[in-house]
Amino acid sequence: MPDNIPNVQLRAWRNEHQLTRADMADRINATPTGIAERLACDEERIRRWEAGEVSWPHTSYRRALTQLTGLQPEALGFRQNRRGQGRLIEATTIVPMDALRAEADLYGTMELAQQLQASDVGTGTLEALAEAVDLLCRAYPVVPAATLRDRTQKRLAQITRLLSGRITLDQHRELLVITGWLTALLGCVHYDLGEREEAETARRTAYEMGRQVGHGELMGWAYEMYAWFALVEGRYEDVVTAARMG
């Protein structure tokens, strides 16, 4: 998975003000700095900021953001790159713990109830849920297994409630994929805790969700988990079989 941590604060500000990315880009361009500097902010630039692909925008954009929001860049979730620190080091030592906190912030600011429109899944909710799952996966290397298991089970319960609500067929498919990845993560955590029966049940469930929606990557990951389980347990022929099928 990529090393970027989504900018939860910026997304939360935009959602709070009920702006699309295109709307926010237009407002940035209309600020005094935007006009004076002839900024050409667009939807893609906002997406990159929110995805964490850009952690510290150019000076002109930071000034325009402050004029638009009344907040300093740091309060909007931006941070300066640390000199002398490689990206790999940052990804392995800082990102996972930040990821768990960011995931909690993301759920705290999504406010799903305020996003209800024609269905129980409002605009931006699916994207935010997918980002939350990615953040939990990033936290896997360093967060205690029991802590991650409890957090993952809580998120699964929340998404299950959405699956039983008013959603379209496309939203149902996307929620199944998100649930599948969460279930796969839960299976890994169960196995780390020595809960092998629960781990295998979660793995099979993740595979079945991937099969239902034709998601090859999720199905392949379920086979990878089976190969891992078999390797640890010394079932080497099963390792080869699972790897080939995956």
Side-chain angles (χ1 to χ4, degrees), residues 84-106:
Q85 184 178 52
R87 187 173 179 82
L88 179 59
I89 295 176
E90 180 180 357
T92 55
T93 62
I94 296 178
V95 166
M97 292 306 295
D98 286 348
L100 194 63
R101 287 192 293 268
E103 191 273 346
D105 290 342
L106 184 58

Side-chain angles (χ1 to χ4, degrees), residues 90-217:
E90 180 180 357
T92 55
T93 62
I94 296 178
V95 166
M97 292 306 295
D98 286 348
L100 194 63
R101 287 192 293 268
E103 191 273 346
D105 290 342
L106 184 58
Y107 265 90
T109 57
M110 271 200 309
E111 297 178 345
L112 297 181
Q114 294 184 4
Q115 298 185 25
L116 296 179
Q117 294 182 354
S119 72
D120 285 340
V121 179
T123 303
T125 301
L126 289 173
E127 185 178 350
L129 287 173
E131 289 181 1
V133 173
D134 184 66
L135 289 168
L136 286 177
C137 290
R138 296 173 197 271
Y140 174 76
V142 297
V143 173
T147 299
L148 193 56
R149 178 195 57 194
D150 295 344
R151 176 75 66 86
T152 303
Q153 288 175 331
K154 179 179 180 180
R155 300 314 184 206
L156 277 170
Q158 292 170 328
I159 295 176
T160 298
R161 288 196 293 271
L162 290 178
L163 279 168
S164 63
R166 296 168 298 161
I167 55 177
T168 67
L169 287 176
D170 287 342
Q171 289 170 341
H172 185 269
R173 182 188 185 281
E174 291 301 316
L175 282 174
L176 280 181
V177 172
I178 291 169
T179 304
W181 284 120
L182 266 181
T183 305
L185 173 61
L186 183 61
C188 294
V189 175
H190 275 311
Y191 202 80
D192 289 340
L193 290 169
E195 301 166 349
R196 295 188 175 183
E197 183 175 348
E198 292 86 346
E200 176 60 16
T201 299
R203 186 198 69 80
R204 289 176 177 271
T205 302
Y207 174 83
E208 180 60 24
M209 290 181 177
R211 188 191 65 79
Q212 287 184 25
V213 299
H215 198 285
E217 185 179 359

Side-chain angles (χ1 to χ4, degrees), residues 41-54:
C41 191
D42 56 16
E43 184 176 359
E44 174 61 16
R45 187 180 297 273
I46 303 296
R47 185 202 66 77
R48 294 182 62 205
W49 288 348
E50 292 185 350
E53 295 175 12
V54 177

